[in-house]
Every structure is written in structure tokens, then in C-alpha cells.
Amino acid sequence: MSSMQRLLAEIDAYLAASGMGPTEFGVRADRDRSLMTRLRQGRPVTLAKADRIIAYMRKHPPAKPIKRQRRRVASTLSLVA
């Protein structure tokens, strides 16, 4: 796996964990709306840009997802009885 593929995989994992969209991530990480589009097309980024992206992800870790309580729903059988 190349370093660009590893960077893209790390960003995709960050996006999944944070719930952030790719455009918003590009703007926040490097003021670049097309960042993810270009990365997914296989276009390289400079080392300086890669460093800024990684620094952003380290400085702004995704919040832990909220674990929702499962509510019990009354079944139709209990409503009839």
C-alpha cells in the first residue's frame, strides 16, 4: 500500500468516525474544497499538505459516537391484549 493510499484510508476512517463530509473536511483541514475528490482520483499531494492534513486529524480527534439506548417498543400483540 502506498503512502497516498494509507493517507486516504486514514482520512476515510476519520470521516466515518467523525460523521464529517469530505468537502467540509477538506475545507477545515486545508481550506481545499476539492481535496478528497483529488485524493480519490489518485492525484498526489505535497508532503506539506499531507502534514497539514495529518496535523488537523491529530488536533481534532473525532468525538466518540453516542451510544443510544434501545427502547423497547410494544408489540402489536401486547396492544391487542
Side-chain angles (χ1 to χ4, degrees):
M1 180 181 279
S2 74
S3 57
M4 291 306 296
Q5 290 171 329
R6 277 181 282 179
L7 176 62
L8 183 57
E10 188 173 338
I11 294 170
D12 282 334
Y14 180 87
L15 293 177
S18 68
M20 188 182 300
T23 302
E24 182 181 354
F25 174 79
V27 171
R28 288 183 181 207
D30 197 49
R31 291 185 240 138
D32 183 354
R33 294 179 58 84
S34 302
L35 172 68
M36 292 306 296
T37 301
R38 284 198 300 280
L39 281 175
R40 288 179 176 151
Q41 290 173 347
R43 295 183 187 164
V45 295
T46 64
L47 288 175
K49 184 175 275 221
D51 285 343
R52 287 190 301 268
I53 293 166
I54 293 168
Y56 173 82
M57 290 189 293
R58 300 295 181 263
K59 187 175 179 181
H60 302 94
K64 292 183 181 179
I66 298 170
K67 190 173 183 180
R68 297 185 180 199
Q69 296 285 333
R70 294 182 81 183
R71 290 195 276 175
R72 292 181 53 129
V73 178
S75 69
T76 54
L77 292 176
S78 65
L79 294 176
V80 173

